[in-house]
């Protein structure tokens, strides 16, 4: 335990990991923080230290905090997420605050904080997912609870999660200068270090998204998942590009092995493509040292550097003052020509000995200094190794406890697997019973088929019973097939899971034995390190005694250092003059580059203005939506250009963003001009002329604005108001040209569904009341066969209205159930807005049912009065049946298979079909009775009159055949136009419109 004065190792590591230096977070500090969360089973200590740091005022501290917090969420204790949820709002506020700073680490911190908040929300909603996102296929299936709606929502949440990861990935790469080797600099490594965690997350999220999409495509129609496929394609392209760019950086090559995604995305429309999918695996080599470790300077290098500097200074001293041997003041050998005597030889010999002893003394001092430095370095290394060995021993102990826990969990899973195998045995027994039942039913079916030939001449009631028996037999066959498929799937899955668990158990046993051996080796190395430490401490005490003699040599070196400082001052003066000349040259080049870019932009806009009247443009046709998107892009580019212009005026060296904005503005403006010209070809004359003139004026204003971006005072006075007015005018004309079928907002869809269902119910009630009134009038004014026919037809119409009323009530109940089960925490309006296509289908079907009921009542009224046709009543009945079928199909899409309301809706649908058949049958019967009463009498006609009537009938037959062909062509054109108008109202894209040939082929099938 630590005292109150000594902080815990986790507190020290957090303070060391989150600092203001622009270097990557050291791995040993982050590892200590992770182990601290496992020791205290939470993150209270971490947050107590972080709350004292000024994260809102220092971007570097905030960036390193995000990196360390990301590591804790991945590898820390599971309670880290629970302890961090209380600070979620503070992270959101901090993200919004840093989002206002577009330079440096401000934008990076904002996006990283948003990613961490999204990660916390995702793991809160899906607690089955661990922090490192490593799950098996069985655990992934359990996360969705075998519900297609849960899998659908889980896929959407994974898309949002992966989108935040990719945004951080892309923002970090955009903030780096890829023209230089940024990955080997400390500043570049500080920004790239968190991407290792992002790469690990992205690989798992991509793998799970592919598997979930294959599962959804096996349960839902392909059109329903079109949005999922489009979003996956966008994220697949981004992730593949980012993985490829990351693998080329030197920084990542030493630390992580980044997987490569396939050339083409998976084909979800082909179920067998799942077997071709290979899960991306990120490999982190264990033997490679982390780049976050502290750089250790070897003591031998320091000693060699000091010796070389000593020799260099000695040589410079000899060059300046001369050698001591050549200018000895006590050398009297050459004075006055006196010969050497014994005393002189003795003095000379003594001087030589002194010189030799001085050299030996210097060499001894040098060697002692070298040995002292070596010993100090060795002591430091041994201390570091001792601390690391202690840390590794503690980590090995923690790993052993963790592996023991994992082993117990695997034992429990094995017991669960045995239970699953027992349940499979029970399922096999039930399957055999179903097989016997199926064989009996098959024999019964053969008997029914044999008797069916004899019963064809009986009445319609017997035929109806046979058809019901066939339907029951088909349902039994389908249930048997589904049961066999589910049994095979469960059996294969159980065998695969059992094999996987056995393999994992063997691997864990092997790893546990290896960890124990490593722990024994560590203990032996610790004992040897303790013995060597005592030996080196004794030698260090002896070397400290010689330290005093070395201090005098340091004073002499100070004098030589002053001479070198004088030389440094002169060199700095020369460097300042050279920098001034370079600054002038760079300024001239900057002006030249800005002028050339501006002229190129003006030339591109002039070419676009010149292409307005070219034949190649006249033959094209553009889209109004595309034109509005281009105008929006020009507005955003213009705002960015204003910001870059202000930044350039404040700092002329920052010209890169301004040149990029000028080029982009010219490109987008030229595209807008050409797109406006092509869009005007599909517009009426007056809006087309206004749009073309607005495009020309926009080009002229853009040229005027670009010409004002000159170096000097003109740039400060540049005004883009005229260009913005022209763009507003183009946007207003484009909005007027948009189709009017798209005016309904998604927020109004929920209210519109309720209104249309209520209107349909009201229309059916009104139709029922009107049919009763028509029947009362017919009973009062008609008699005989006509009254009988009218009563039969109006009675069948009344039954049809009652069946439709039951169908509408069942549809309302099923829709309420769908909304309540699928909306989650959202409101019903939000659910309808989220599923807008499905909602619009319900609205369209409800309108069609109410309209068909009204038209059928009108037709029945005319038939009763003798003014209408029986065929109109039959067509109205078929139209109502088709509309109710559309309503049933729309409600059935999102309903659960075992829903009671769905069963009631299907029964109501069958009732509507039977009522429709009754209306058609009564109409045909009534028509035949009326025609029998109006049979022609040819008894009083002569041969000439009969021949004349025969010729007239043949002419009438030819006319009717010609009219029939024309009416069929007209019906085909009407259906084609209805399809186009429905596409505009439903918001279909142009690329999904059916071709005329497809519509023509569909007409005969319907007829």
């Amino acid at each position: 335990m630590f005292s109150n004065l000594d902080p815990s190792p986790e507190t020290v590591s957090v303070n060391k990991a989150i600092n203001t230096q622009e270097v990557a977070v050291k791995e040993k500090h982050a590892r200590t923080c992770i182990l601290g969360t496992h020791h205290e089973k939470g993150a209270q200590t971490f947050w107590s230290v972080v709350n004292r740091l000024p994260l809102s005022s220092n971007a570097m501290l905030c960036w390193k905090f995000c990196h360390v917090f990301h590591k804790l969420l991945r590898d820390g204790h599971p309670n880290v997420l629970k302890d961090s949820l209380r600070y979620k709002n503070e992270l959101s506020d901090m993200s919004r605050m840093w989002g206002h700073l577009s330079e440096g680490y401000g934008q990076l911190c904002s996006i990283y904080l948003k990613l961490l908040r999204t990660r916390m929300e995702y793991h809160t909603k899906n607690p089955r997912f661990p922090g490192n996102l490593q799950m098996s296929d069985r655990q992934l299936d359990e996360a969705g609870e075998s519900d297609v709606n849960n899998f659908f929502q889980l896929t959407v949440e994974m898309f949002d999660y992966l989108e935040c990861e990719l945004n951080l990935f892309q923002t970090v790469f955009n903030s780096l200068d890829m023209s230089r080797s940024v990955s080997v600099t400390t500043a570049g490594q500080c920004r790239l270090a968190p991407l290792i965690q992002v790469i690990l997350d992205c690989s798992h999220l991509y793998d799970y998204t592919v598997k979930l999409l294959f599962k959804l495509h096996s349960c839902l129609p392909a059109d329903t998942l079109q949005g999922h496929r489009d979003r996956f394609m966008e994220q697949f392209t981004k992730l593949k590009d980012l993985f490829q760019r990351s693998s080329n950086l030197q920084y990542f090559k030493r630390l992580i092995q980044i997987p490569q995604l396939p050339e083409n995305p998976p084909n979800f429309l082909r179920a067998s493509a799942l077997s071709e999918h290979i899960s991306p695996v990120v490999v982190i080599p264990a033997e490679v040292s982390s780049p976050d470790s502290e750089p250790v300077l070897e003591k031998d290098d320091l000693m060699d550097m000091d010796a070389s500097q000593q020799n260099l200074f000695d040589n410079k001293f000899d060059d300046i003052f001369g050698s001591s041997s050549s200018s000895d003041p006590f050398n009297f050998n050459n004075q006055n020509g006196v010969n050497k005597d014994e005393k002189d030889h003795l003095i000379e010999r003594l001087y030589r000995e002194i010189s030799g002893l001085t050299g030996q003394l210097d060499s001894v001092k040098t060697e002692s200094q070298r040995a002292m430095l070596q010993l100090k370095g060795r002591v430091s290394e041994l201390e570091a190794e001792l601390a690391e060995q202690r840390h590794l021993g503690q980590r090995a102990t923690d790993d052993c406890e963790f592996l023991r826990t994992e082993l117990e969990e695997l034992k429990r899973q094995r017991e669960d697997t045995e239970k699953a195998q027992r349940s499979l045995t029970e399922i096999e027994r039930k399957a055999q019973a179903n097989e016997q039942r199926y064989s009996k039913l098959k024999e019964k079916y053969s008997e029914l088929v044999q008797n069916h030939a004899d019963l064809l001449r009986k009445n319609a009631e017997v035929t109806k019973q046979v058809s019901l028996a066939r339907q029951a037999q088909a349902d039994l066959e389908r249930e048997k097939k589904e049961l066999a498929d589910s049994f095979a799937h469960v059996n294969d899955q159980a065998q695969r899971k059992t094999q996987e668990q056995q393999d994992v158990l063997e691997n864990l046993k092997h790893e546990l034995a290896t960890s124990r051996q490593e722990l024994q080796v560590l203990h032996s190395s610790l004992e040897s390190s303790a013995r060597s430490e005592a030996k080196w401490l004794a030698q260090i005490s002896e070397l400290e005694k010689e330290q005093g003699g070395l201090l005098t040599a340091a004073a002499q070196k100070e004098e030589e250092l002053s001479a070198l400082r004088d030389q440094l001052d002169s060199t700095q003066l020369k460097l300042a003059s050279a920098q001034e000349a370079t600054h002038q040259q760079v300024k001239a080049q900057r002006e030249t580059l800005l002028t050339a870019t501006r002229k190129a932009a003006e030339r591109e806009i002039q070419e676009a203005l010149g292409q307005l009247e070219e034949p190649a443009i006249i033959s094209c046709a553009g889209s109004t939506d595309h034109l509005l998107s281009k105008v929006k892009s020009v507005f955003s580019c213009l705002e960015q250009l204003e910001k870059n212009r202000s930044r350039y005026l404040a700092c002329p060296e920052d010209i890169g963003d301004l040149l990029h904005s000028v080029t982009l503005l010219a490109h987008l403006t030229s595209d807008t001009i050409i797109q406006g010209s092509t869009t005007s070809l599909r517009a009426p004359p007056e809006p087309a002329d206004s749009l073309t003139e607005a495009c020309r004026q926009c080009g002229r204003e853009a040229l005027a604005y670009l010409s004002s971006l000159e170096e000097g005072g003109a740039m400060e006075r540049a005004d883009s108001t005229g260009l913005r007015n022209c763009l507003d005018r183009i946007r207003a004309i484009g909005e007027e040209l948009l189709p009017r079928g798209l005016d309904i907002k998604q927020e109004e869809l929920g209210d519109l569904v309720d209104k249309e269902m209520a209107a349909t119910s009201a229309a059916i009630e009104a139709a029922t009341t009107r049919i009763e009134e028509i029947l009362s009038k017919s009973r009062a004014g008609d008699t005989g066969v006509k009254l009988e026919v009218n009563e039969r037809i109006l009675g069948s119409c009344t039954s049809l209205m009652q069946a439709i009323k039951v169908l509408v009530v069942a549809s309302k109940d099923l829709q309420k159930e769908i909304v309540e089960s699928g909306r989650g925490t959202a409101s019903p309006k939000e659910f309808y807005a989220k599923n807008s296509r499905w909602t619009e289908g319900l609205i369209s079907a409800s309108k069609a049912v109410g309209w068909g009921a009204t038209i059928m009542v009108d037709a029945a009224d005319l038939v009763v009065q003798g003014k209408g046709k029986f065929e109109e009543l039959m067509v109205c009945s078929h139209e109502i049946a088709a509309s109710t079928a559309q309503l049933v199909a729309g409600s059935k899409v999102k309903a659960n298979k075992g829903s009671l309301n769905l069963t009631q809706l299907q029964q109501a649908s069958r009732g509507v079909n039977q009522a429709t058949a009754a209306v058609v049958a009564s109409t045909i019967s009534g028509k035949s009775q009326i025609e029998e009463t109006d049979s022609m009498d040819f008894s009083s006609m002569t041969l000439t009159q009969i021949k004349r009537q025969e010729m007239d009938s043949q002419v009438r037959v030819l006319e009717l055949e010609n009219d029939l062909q024309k009416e069929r062509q007209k019906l085909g054109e009407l259906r084609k136009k209805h399809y186009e108008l429905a596409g505009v109202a439903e918001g279909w894209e142009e690329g999904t419109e059916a071709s005329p040939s497809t519509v023509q082929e569909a007409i005969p099938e319907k007829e």
Side-chain angles (χ1 to χ4, degrees), residues 384-400:
E385 290 179 0
L386 180 60
E388 185 67 22
Q389 294 297 335
R390 289 176 179 172
H391 175 68
L392 290 176
Q394 184 65 31
R395 183 179 179 183
T397 304
D398 295 338
D399 291 341
C400 289

Side-chain angles (χ1 to χ4, degrees), residues 815-828:
Q815 289 175 22
K816 290 180 180 179
E817 178 183 349
I818 292 172
V819 173
E820 291 298 327
S821 62
R823 68 186 180 91
T825 58
S827 62

Side-chain angles (χ1 to χ4, degrees), residues 803-855:
I804 293 175
K805 185 187 299 184
V806 173
L807 177 68
V808 171
V809 173
S811 177
K812 287 182 180 180
D813 297 336
L814 182 58
Q815 289 175 22
K816 290 180 180 179
E817 178 183 349
I818 292 172
V819 173
E820 291 298 327
S821 62
R823 68 186 180 91
T825 58
S827 62
K829 291 184 179 180
E830 292 175 351
F831 178 83
Y832 282 123
K834 182 178 179 181
N835 303 274
S836 58
R837 289 295 179 87
W838 177 69
T839 306
E840 290 169 359
L842 292 180
I843 294 172
S844 177
S846 301
K847 288 183 178 179
V849 171
W851 176 80
T854 304
I855 296 300

Side-chain angles (χ1 to χ4, degrees), residues 56 89 152 368 506 779 903:
S56 300
N89 294 331
F152 191 93
S368 63
E506 292 296 332
R779 287 173 178 173
T903 304

Side-chain angles (χ1 to χ4, degrees), residues 521-761:
V521 173
L522 289 176
H523 283 303
S524 61
S525 62
L526 285 175
E527 293 177 357
S528 61
S529 299
R531 290 193 298 269
S532 61
E533 181 181 2
K535 179 180 177 181
W536 291 118
L537 288 175
Q539 295 180 0
I540 289 172
S541 62
E542 295 177 359
L543 293 174
E544 286 179 351
K545 298 177 181 178
E546 300 179 2
Q547 185 177 6
L550 298 176
L551 294 176
T552 56
Q556 296 177 358
K557 303 304 178 181
E558 290 292 335
E559 297 177 357
E560 298 177 1
L561 183 60
S562 61
L564 293 176
R565 286 176 179 172
D566 295 337
Q567 295 179 4
L568 180 61
D569 294 336
S570 61
T571 305
Q572 287 179 349
L573 293 175
K574 295 178 182 179
L575 182 61
S577 60
Q579 287 179 350
E580 182 65 25
T582 304
H583 179 71
Q584 295 296 332
Q585 185 179 1
V586 169
K587 182 177 181 182
Q589 292 178 355
R590 186 167 57 246
E591 294 176 356
T592 304
L593 185 60
L594 178 59
T595 303
T597 303
R598 182 176 55 79
K599 291 182 179 179
E602 292 176 353
R603 185 164 55 254
E604 184 175 0
I605 295 176
Q606 290 174 356
E607 290 176 358
L609 290 174
Q611 292 177 0
L612 288 177
E613 303 298 335
E614 290 185 2
I617 299 299
I618 294 176
S619 62
C620 301
S623 171
T624 307
D625 296 333
H626 190 50
L627 175 61
L628 293 177
S629 66
K630 287 293 183 182
V631 172
K632 184 178 180 181
S633 300
V634 175
F635 269 116
S636 61
C637 180
L638 193 58
E639 293 177 358
Q640 187 64 31
L641 177 58
E642 292 291 339
K643 295 180 181 178
N644 293 332
R645 181 175 66 87
S646 302
R647 192 180 299 117
Y648 172 72
L649 293 175
C651 180
E653 287 78 9
D654 190 6
I655 195 175
D657 294 338
L658 179 62
L659 296 179
H660 174 72
S661 298
V662 170
T663 306
L664 183 61
L665 177 64
H667 177 69
L668 293 177
T669 304
S670 61
D671 286 350
T672 303
I673 293 172
I674 296 175
Q675 185 65 28
S677 177
T678 56
T679 304
S680 64
L681 300 177
R682 301 179 64 178
E686 293 183 1
D689 295 339
S690 301
L691 184 58
T692 303
E693 183 60 29
C695 291
R696 287 197 182 95
Q697 185 64 26
C698 179
R700 289 193 290 268
E701 291 293 338
L703 291 174
Y705 179 67
L706 289 176
S707 62
S708 63
L709 296 178
E710 296 179 355
E711 188 70 25
M715 183 176 292
E716 298 179 357
R717 297 188 299 272
D719 188 10
S720 60
T721 305
L723 180 58
R724 292 178 185 273
N725 294 334
C726 293
L727 292 174
D728 289 333
R729 184 182 176 191
I730 294 175
R731 181 168 59 185
I733 297 174
E735 291 176 352
E736 292 178 357
L737 295 177
L738 284 174
R740 297 306 178 188
L742 304 174
D743 294 340
I744 299 176
K745 298 181 180 179
Q746 290 187 349
E747 293 80 7
E748 301 174 359
L749 286 176
D751 297 335
L752 190 58
V753 170
D754 297 334
K755 291 180 181 178
E756 289 299 333
M757 295 300 289
T760 303
S761 301

Side-chain angles (χ1 to χ4, degrees), residues 315-333:
N315 294 332
K316 287 185 177 181
F317 184 82
D318 293 339
D319 294 338
I320 296 173
F321 299 101
S323 177
S324 60
S325 61
S326 62
S327 58
D328 191 354
F330 301 99
N331 191 357
F332 302 100
N333 293 336

Side-chain angles (χ1 to χ4, degrees), residues 891-911:
S891 302
K892 187 179 179 181
V893 167
K894 290 186 175 295
N896 295 325
K897 292 184 179 180
S899 174
L900 180 61
N901 292 325
L902 177 60
T903 304
Q904 295 178 356
L905 180 63
Q906 292 175 345
Q907 293 177 356
S909 175
R910 287 193 287 269

